[in-house]
Each structure stands twice: as structure tokens, then as C-alpha cells.
Amino acid sequence: MTNNIDTYQVLIVLDERSAANGAMNMALDNLSEVLLDNNIRVIQADSYAEAWPIVGNNMDIDCFMITSDMELDAKSELKAIELLKFIKDRQAKVPVFLLADRAKTAQAMSEKLMALVSEFVWIFEDSPVFVAGRVEAAIKRFRDLLLPPLMKAIWQYNEDSHEYSWAAPGHQGGVGFTKSPAGKKFYDFYGENLFRTDTGIERSSIGSLLDHSGAFGVSEKFAAKVFGSDQSYSVVVGTSGSNRTVMQICLREGDIAICDRNCHKSIEQGLILTGAIPVYLIPTRNRYGIIGPIHRSEMTPATIKAKIAATGLKPKYDKPAYAVVTNCTYDGLCYNAAKVQDELALTVNRVHFDEAWYGYARFNPMYADHFAMRGEIPADYDGPTVFATQSTHKLLNALSQASYIHIRNGKDSIDFNRFNQAYMMHATTSPLYAICASNDISTAMMNESGTSLTREVIEEAVDFRQAMARLYRDFTKKGSWFFKPWNAEKVTDPATGKVYDFADAPRELLITEQKCWRMDPKDTWHGFTDLEDNWVMLDPIKVSILGPGMGDDGRLLQSGVPAALVSSYLYHEGIVPTRTTDFQIMFLFSMGITKGKWGTLINTLLAFKQFYDKNVPVAEVLPELADAFPAVYGNVGIRDLSNRMFEYLQKENPGAKLNAAFATLPKMAMTPRQAYEKIVANEVEMVPSGKLMNRISANSIIPYPPGIPMLMSGENFGGADSPQIGYLKSLEDWDHSFPGFEHVTEGTEVIDGIYHVMCVK
């Protein structure tokens, strides 16, 4: 076993005076010897500065011991307090001992310092054995409270269980894998603990995910408390499963579902499963192809009533049963959820926020009012029942497929027994406990250090944005080009009224002030019109950079650098953006991002600029591309290829075609369920783009980018002037002109260079 549960670790931190004090060092040496005898490993930092990176990066420390001779001036005391606060930010419950001389400490200790310390040790009076005993006892108390309920139960099961199981899984703690060379490599790669804890649901000592009993139930109650819900459900089939679960219990066949058109495909799957009739809220779109917010005017009762009438389909029930909004959007736009909820509550009693990429919002004041589970639950709450579905594996810290459903009960609330029927329909009877445990750990991390962890991500994102803004400004002054961050170009400090260029704004202002990220209706940088004040903000950690080529008026400039070419180079260098449009490249900052990681990104972008400016051959910059298509790229420079791509964008303007395709809502000929039933009955056929006029798509068509449906299943392409058909034809032209830069369009199949769509016969 490799749990090391009985191996403890202490960090001793010396201040400057203590490090030079011979008597203090001798006392610490004696203490370290006794600690080692008690199986407590000792690490020593010879200054506060040396301790900072250890505190920030080593989460195996079970106890901190800070030395001080307490002859502190104000500056020295501030350093000690800053270090202690940092320790508490990262590990709120960890024991912290102050090692000091009683005579000096009694006179010099401040109230602020005392509040940050667990125990005081008189290093020259208390014996090393006594101090080591106090340390060991404090560590054991800390360890006992360290793990959240489910992880603790699984850990204990792993420690105590020596059973002979005759139940599934058949590998029996991994033993089955060791009976072949390939299986043994698999076993060695993942390690024994994974297999020992991969057990069946009949282990009563852990409880049941499906019944929400035992440690599973305690874990979900813990999550509800941390995330601010009445109930929380741990999900191991991703937020796709969470979305389908919520829709399955909220909707019947013939119900009206108000759906954000900027939705994940699991929302369409929910419509297929339930047979509900969708009415779509149409988002905006800017000159860069970035999907913007839905205007409030789309959500009013009058507008929704008109949309229902326009479907041409007869619902069984007059009142819409459910509404779902994607928050935040894939481009990082966060609605003022309080306002959205209040508006939709005029029409529906159940509001669902798909927060797959947004599980961290509750833990930082930056996002106040802009997420579903806001504040504490009011005792007299009489609003709609609110659902939030969150992918803990995306931007929190959990394994893939880990997700949560959070619920605040209001009007038309759903009791546990009814909701659990939908939950079990989309769950598995054989969950991997490691996924469940990772949800539990993710909750514990946010409970203990959520503010610190989210602030750190915002800090990294702001530092990157400001570095990019300064580089853009410097190159522009030289008459050259570079990429710029997509955010406000000027920000105002609301406390002083002072206006700053974004590149020069105080770091703390950008890290803490929400108004710096709100999309002001008067600003033009975001490209969205008719915005309501405080309706939407940009999430600072979802960073888009813009290449040159697009004018502020939405028209292409005389020259530019297509983002597809830049992204291809980034991929070649082992850097993976989250999405790319004509001139936008997007990067997600998460808790795993470091300065080294984004510093490498900037260096790589600078390297691309150098290659571009020198027109270095494609064969040198992107050798795999040149090798794969030598006739197209073998004898061309990277700037020449960029210019060729940009000229194509100027001439064909596929971005405008895509904008038109999203601006026009196709006619719904049948519900998504009816279209899917045509697939089941094999009443479908593949139709080439040239023959799609007036055909009904049997499945959704989702171009990447932007990754949202251009057509939903059951919708009609329309006539020869259909913008959706026009966009598919423009993709064919692009793919033919620039092989190796093909777009991904889910729901289509490319046959001999022609896009085909599964249509109803």
C-alpha cells in the first residue's frame, strides 16, 4: 500500500534572527530528532521567503512550526502575519505552532498574530519530547478532520478490508489484471489503491450512490452546505447526465421547454427523451463570432408567448414547465443570474442554469449575483425551483465524468423520491468510486480554500491579460502587430473614479472589482448592442486573444492573421487552445495553470510572430502539414499562407455566412423526439449539401466553432437561399482550399469533399 497514512510531515520556518541564533538552532535540532523518532518527517525553511513556495505547493505538510524571537518591529511582524495568513488560506485547519522565547513573546505578541496561531511553544523551556507529543496530537486531530466523508469512508475501507469477495467487479482488487502481461502493466500504471477501492455497491460500510445512503448521503449533504443548495446529487456520468436527469423529472411529452439556443447537445437529448416542445431564446453574436448574451427582451412573458404560437406545434399544456440557460457561456459571458431568474420566473416555476464550466463562481466575490446558488437560502423563499448542473471535472478539481446537480426548492419543487427516479435512470449501478470520491474532495477543497484557489486563478489570468495588453501596445507603437486580449481597453476604479488603460490598471483592482469585467452598454470593445446595464460580465479566467484582421465596424481590414493558422502552430508546439474562430483563440485558466505555463504560451506566440514576419517556410514552421500536403504547402512561406487564408476570408466571408445561419432560426417541422423516432425507424437518408433544400434534419448540426446548434433535429433547412446550407458549402470550399485546416461539424459526414446530413426521408 502507498497511502502513507501514518507518515506525518512538519515544516519548520525560521525568521532571520532565529536562523542566526545558535541556541535556537540547537533547540530545533533536538526537537527534529525526537520528531523523526516519532515518524514525523521534518522540512526546514531558513527564511520566511523560502517558506512561501513550500506553503503554496506542498500540500503534504501536516503542521507548521514558525520560529520568532519576537523582537519584532512593525515590518517584521507584518511579514510573519502575511506568511501565517497564506498558510491559513491554503490549509485553513492545519495546526500552526509558534516557537518562541517566553520572556520576549509575552511582551511583543500582537492580537493579529495570536489569532493565526494554534499553539505556542516555549522552545527554551518545554522539553523536545513534550513538544513532539503536542505536535503529534495536533496532527492526528488535523488528519482525522482532513478528509471529507465519502473519501474518508473509502480510505478506511481500503485500510480495514481484507475480505474474500465473491461479488463484482471480477478483477477482485486488481488481482485479475496481474494474470497477463498487458493486465499487469495496466495494474502497475494505475496503482493498487484504485483497484482495491473499485468495489460493488453492496459494501454497506460505504453506502450506496443510488440510494444516497451511508457516506454517499453524508457527502451529498456536505456538498449542499458548501454549494448553497437544499439538495445536491453527486453524478458520475458527466453534466450531460445531470442535464438529462433534470429535464427527465421536469418535463412530460407535450410540455413547453424554454431553451437557450446556445445549449449543450445534452439539452437536445433531454428534449428527445421527454418529448417536450422547445421554444428557443436566441443569443446575440459579435463581429468575432463570439456568442453573446440573450437579451432580457427574449425572456419576457409576451415574447415567450409569441414564440410558442410561432412554433406551429400544439403543446398539451399551456404553461411552460421549465427553462434552461447556459451560464456562463462557452466564451466566458456570465449572466446576472438574479435578474435572469426573476425574469424567467414570470413564465416558469423551474429554472435550470447549465453551469458546466462555472462551478467555482460561489467561492469568489468577483462573481456576486452571477450564478445560480447565490448567498444563503432565504427562509421565506417563494421563487422558482432552481437547478444548477456543474462539471466539477472541468474547472474544479475532480476526475472526468464527475458532476453535481444542485437544487434550491421553490415553486413546483420535486421531492426526493420522485427526483431519485430520474437520477437512477441516468446513473449507473456500477459507479467507479474514485469518481465519486473526487467529487467529495473537490467539495472539501472549495470549502476549505475556495476563495484562495479561485483568487489564484484570477491572478494568473489577469497577469496574462495585462502582459498581452502591454505587448500589443508596444508592438503597435512600433508600427507592428500582435495579439490583444478580448476585454475592456480601459477600466475605472469605482472608489476614486480614476480611469486606467487595462495594461496599466492596478492588479488588485482587476482581481477584485467586478465592474472592471461588466459589459458596459456604452463600450464597443465587446461588440454587443442593446445591452442592459449589469446584465452580463466577462469571466476573467476565460481568456480570448484576438489576432489582427477584424475592424471595429465588423468589416475585415486590409490585412490580418487568421487564427486557424496560429492555432495550428500552437498545436504543433504542444499547446492546446479550447477554441478557435476566424480571429479569436481562447484559453481556459484553471487551478492547474501556472506562470510557467502561460509564460510559455506568450513565448510561443512571439515565436509565431517572428516566423510570420520573416516569412519562414511552412516546411520549417509546420513540417507535418507540409509533408502531408506538399503540393499545397511545400514551397510557401508562413506569411504567404496567412495572406492566402486572409484573402479567402475577405472574398468568401464564411464568418458572415455563419452569423447569418445563427441569426435565422430554422422552422421546426417536428419535435426532436419525433425526428429521433425517424432514426429509430430507419426513415432517414444521407443528403449532400446541394440537395438539402427544404429537407428536415434528423439530427442536430453543430459547427465547431462555436460549438452550438446551427440546426436542431426536426428543423427544416429551408429553400435555396438557406444560410445554413450556404455555410456548409463555404466549409467545403475552405476544406478544399486549405487541407489540414478542416473544421469539425458534428452531425455531418464528409464524403468526397461534400458535406452530407442525415435527413428525414
Side-chain angles (χ1 to χ4, degrees), residues 389-453:
T389 49
Q390 299 174 351
S391 295
T392 43
H393 69 92
K394 283 189 169 73
L395 289 173
L396 295 181
N397 296 292
L399 296 178
S400 290
Q401 297 182 213
S403 175
Y404 270 124
I405 301 170
H406 304 298
I407 306 173
R408 279 196 178 177
N409 293 323
K411 295 175 181 176
D412 283 350
S413 60
I414 302 162
D415 63 67
F416 168 80
N417 290 324
R418 290 167 58 215
F419 189 88
N420 202 43
Q421 291 300 310
Y423 178 89
M424 290 191 293
M425 190 176 295
H426 294 277
T428 171
T429 55
S430 303
L432 180 64
Y433 281 18
I435 299 176
C436 308
S438 73
N439 250 353
D440 199 38
I441 290 293
S442 179
T443 301
M445 291 180 67
M446 300 312 290
N447 182 53
E448 182 172 340
S449 308
T451 303
S452 171
L453 291 170

Side-chain angles (χ1 to χ4, degrees), residues 562-623:
L565 185 58
V566 183
S567 281
S568 182
Y569 177 69
L570 294 175
Y571 276 107
H572 173 71
E573 293 298 314
I575 295 173
V576 182
T578 190
R579 64 178 295 177
T580 305
T581 64
D582 287 347
F583 299 101
Q584 170 211 20
I585 308 173
M586 185 177 174
F587 305 91
L588 295 176
F589 277 64
S590 67
M591 295 176 196
I593 297 297
T594 62
K595 285 183 172 60
K597 197 170 182 179
W598 65 253
T600 298
L601 171 58
I602 289 180
N603 289 337
T604 306
L605 293 169
L606 288 167
F608 177 86
K609 173 179 166 54
Q610 292 178 345
F611 289 139
Y612 175 94
D613 291 344
K614 295 178 181 178
N615 200 24
V616 174
V618 172
E620 294 182 25
V621 181
L622 298 169

